[in-house]
Amino acid sequence: MCFLSIGVILRTVGSSRGGTVQVERVDWVEVPAGLLCRGTPIDEVERVAVRYADTGVPVAWFRKEAPRAEIFLPAFRIARTQVTVGQWAIFAAATGRPVPQAPGDHPVVGVGWDAATAYCRWLGEQFDGLEVRLPAEDEWERAARGEDGREFPWGTQYRTGLANLADLGIGTTMPVGSFPEGASPFGVLDMAGNADEWTSTLYAPYPGAPADVPDVEDWAFDPHVTRGGSFRHDRDLARCARRHGAYERDLAAIGVGFRLAAPAQ
């Protein structure tokens, strides 16, 4: 395990409390245009559920991944790691929001979807109008999975120690970039575990989904899809195809955070 330093000071901006704050450069990963083998084939869903039966996840939750489809995605950029407490604190100081009390190099958690998108807009303004945003669900999966349909960002087999999930036993967040061996094919880090990540996508069944997949998840706290799982989740959330959401109101307790996306250069 090693830790990566990802922030480089880019510029100084004004604070709502007076004075100035320094904004860090985003460590962008360029994801080229290409195909995503999205989701899980319908005839494999039952086998997937059996493999993860020990987690208690019902088969209905895996059916949301079906069917498998090849999707072409244009090029885009995605942040190598999740937004950190330190990065969020700069935004908080500049906009008069509360500053979280947590280590600066850990992912910020407890952030609602609206607040995450506000951060994106604010950061884009600091970068001369760059279209900083949350990744779409398909973009997130391509960044995690590449083009070969792998089950996990690092390959086909789950390995404890490549992500901060429940089986690691930490029980809270860790510094971003702590698991370089768990990188995705494009070199994106922490695509499994540490913080469950907001996407810009509203939940809906995939076209051609099994008939029993719900049209809406009205039990979710927010209708947007999350991906990747957090420190409190089981290994099934490490799967690149696994669709998730914010199903509890306490977003800090369930470890909901986010990472950034932007148009390709």
Side-chain angles (χ1 to χ4, degrees):
M1 183 185 302
C2 68
F3 303 140
L4 303 182
S5 176
I6 65 167
V8 179
I9 292 173
L10 175 63
R11 65 183 63 188
T12 300
V13 300
S15 167
S16 67
R17 299 175 181 176
T20 60
V21 292
Q22 293 174 318
V23 179
E24 293 182 352
R25 184 186 305 274
V26 178
D27 184 7
W28 293 114
V29 174
E30 298 282 346
V31 180
L35 288 177
L36 163 66
C37 293
R38 185 185 70 187
T40 300
I42 291 174
D43 60 2
E44 291 184 12
V45 169
E46 297 288 341
R47 290 193 292 273
V48 170
V50 169
R51 287 205 305 274
Y52 296 94
D54 62 299
T55 68
V57 175
V59 66
W61 293 10
F62 294 111
R63 288 198 186 102
K64 295 188 296 182
E65 305 170 8
R68 169 68 60 84
E70 284 195 352
I71 307 296
F72 179 83
L73 293 177
F76 63 96
R77 283 183 285 174
I78 194 165
R80 191 175 304 276
T81 61
Q82 298 147 345
V83 173
T84 65
V85 170
Q87 291 166 331
W88 179 265
I90 296 169
F91 166 67
T95 60
R97 295 171 185 257
V99 178
Q101 301 299 308
D105 58 354
H106 286 220
V108 64
V109 295
V111 176
W113 191 90
D114 289 339
T117 55
Y119 177 91
C120 293
R121 288 192 300 270
W122 174 85
L123 191 64
E125 292 169 359
Q126 315 315 312
F127 291 166
D128 299 322
L130 176 66
E131 186 193 338
V132 180
R133 55 180 174 77
L134 297 175
E137 184 183 16
D138 286 350
E139 290 176 327
W140 192 100
E141 188 167 337
R142 174 157 165 77
R145 198 169 210 177
E147 297 186 356
D148 60 9
R150 61 183 57 199
E151 186 165 11
F152 304 101
W154 53 81
T156 58
Q157 299 294 323
Y158 185 77
R159 287 171 52 197
T160 298
L162 296 185
N164 182 16
L165 290 155
D167 62 340
L168 197 65
I170 301 297
T172 188
T173 56
M174 296 178 64
V176 299
S178 293
F179 303 95
E181 291 185 2
S184 81
F186 298 113
V188 188
L189 301 172
D190 301 327
M191 295 298 272
N194 220 13
D196 203 18
E197 299 178 21
W198 288 118
T199 72
S200 64
T201 302
L202 290 166
Y203 167 78
Y206 289 148
D212 60 347
V213 173
D215 290 333
V216 296
E217 294 188 325
D218 52 12
W219 55 90
F221 173 68
D222 185 282
H224 294 89
V225 174
T226 64
R227 287 299 199 107
S230 77
F231 59 86
R232 65 165 282 177
H233 292 119
D234 287 314
R235 71 189 190 283
D236 61 290
L237 265 295
R239 297 177 55 253
C240 298
R242 184 79 157 81
R243 310 181 76 193
H244 202 231
Y247 300 122
E248 297 178 30
R249 184 170 294 274
D250 189 341
L251 300 180
I254 61 176
V256 176
F258 67 107
R259 78 173 68 222
L260 308 174
Q265 282 189 322

